[in-house]
Every structure is written in structure tokens, then in C-alpha cells.
Amino acid sequence: MKLCGAGEWLVERHGTSRRRSWRKLHIGVDADTGRIVAAALTTNDLDDGSQVGPLLDQIDDAIALFTGDGAYDQDGVYGEVAAGHADAAVIVPPRSNAMPSQTAETAPTPRDRHLHVIAKHGRMAWQKPSAIAVDILNRMLELGRPSYVRIA
């Protein structure tokens, strides 16, 4: 989401170089209805994972599934979801350089289990059981995709 401040229209109109202000809109979407049930608007310097708690605090009902992109691949995200919604599955693609936790052998976390499946069968095999999560994420992305109309 781009915010246009004083003089920003000049940049677009004349192409001069100026620093732009950006904001990130984090949303929680009900997978069944497509309805946005939680939202947070932040500056671009805040970490995506830091918004999981504030988003979950806006939801009164139990959630069954939390999906997000690789920016949410953090221990804190799994912890926030588990704290408020212990039965919720977390489907977040681990980063390509992700390492298992120190307790992966004795008490694997959900993220450790994802990494194990990826290591054993490959990322594509991990994605197949996660196809429903991908479908949900695609629906979320479709809701957030802007439609531009330029008026001459």
C-alpha cells in the first residue's frame, strides 16, 4: 500500500526521485467466507511475524488453520498461534536455509516436522498436503490485489 503525501503526485506525474512512504496491510481472512476478520496496518520497517499476535487478538472464534508466506517462518509465529489456538495447524513454507530446532530429534515442533518432510521427500511433496493452505493463501492474495483504473 503506497501512501501519497504532500507533493507525491508530482513524483508520479513528473518522475522526479523522492523517498516514498510505504505501509503493510496484514489481514486475516475466514477461509470459508472470504471475509476479512482481522487487520493491522504497519510501517514497512516492522517484521511481519510481529503482527500475528495483534491479528489473532482480533479473532474471538477458534481458528483451525494459520497460513502465511515465508516471512512468517519464525518460532514466535508458531508460539503465538499455539498460545491462543492450540489445535490450529500452522502452514508456513520454511525458508530454503531453514534449520531444525535443537529439540527436533526429541520433541519436534510443527516447523521441525515440515522441515523433516521437505528433507525426506522434497519441497513439492510437502506442498501437496498443504494444497488447501495454498488455495487459501491464493484467495487472500486475490483479495489484496489492487485493481487500477487510470483516468486521463
Side-chain angles (χ1 to χ4, degrees):
M1 175 180 288
K2 180 176 76 170
L3 299 180
C4 291
E8 289 277 337
W9 66 272
L10 285 172
V11 173
E12 185 161 332
R13 174 130 185 142
H14 301 290
T16 59
S17 174
R18 266 187 71 146
R19 187 177 186 149
R20 298 183 190 271
S21 299
W22 291 90
R23 299 289 185 260
K24 292 193 279 187
L25 179 62
H26 307 267
I27 59 172
V29 177
D30 183 320
D32 294 328
T33 65
R35 185 174 162 262
I36 296 174
V37 294
L41 184 64
T42 65
T43 57
N44 64 339
D45 61 339
L46 281 180
D47 171 11
D48 291 352
S50 71
Q51 296 308 302
V52 172
L55 288 171
L56 292 175
D57 289 344
Q58 297 175 40
I59 302 170
D60 294 328
D61 298 329
I63 64 168
L65 180 65
F66 175 91
T67 60
D69 63 16
Y72 293 93
D73 180 32
Q74 304 172 18
D75 290 334
V77 170
Y78 286 85
E80 288 277 352
V81 174
H85 305 275
D87 295 332
V90 177
I91 307 294
V92 174
R95 296 178 182 166
S96 60
N97 62 350
M99 299 296 293
S101 70
Q102 293 182 357
T103 62
E105 294 296 322
T106 57
T109 65
R111 182 176 181 270
D112 290 331
R113 288 191 284 275
H114 292 306
L115 289 171
H116 177 73
V117 170
I118 290 170
K120 188 172 182 180
H121 303 289
R123 188 169 288 273
M124 294 305 290
W126 173 79
Q127 287 178 350
K128 285 184 183 178
S130 305
I132 188 166
V134 171
D135 182 50
I136 292 167
L137 190 56
N138 282 337
R139 285 188 205 176
M140 289 172 53
L141 292 172
E142 193 64 37
L143 289 171
R145 194 165 289 126
S147 173
Y148 293 103
V149 176
R150 188 171 288 268
I151 300 172

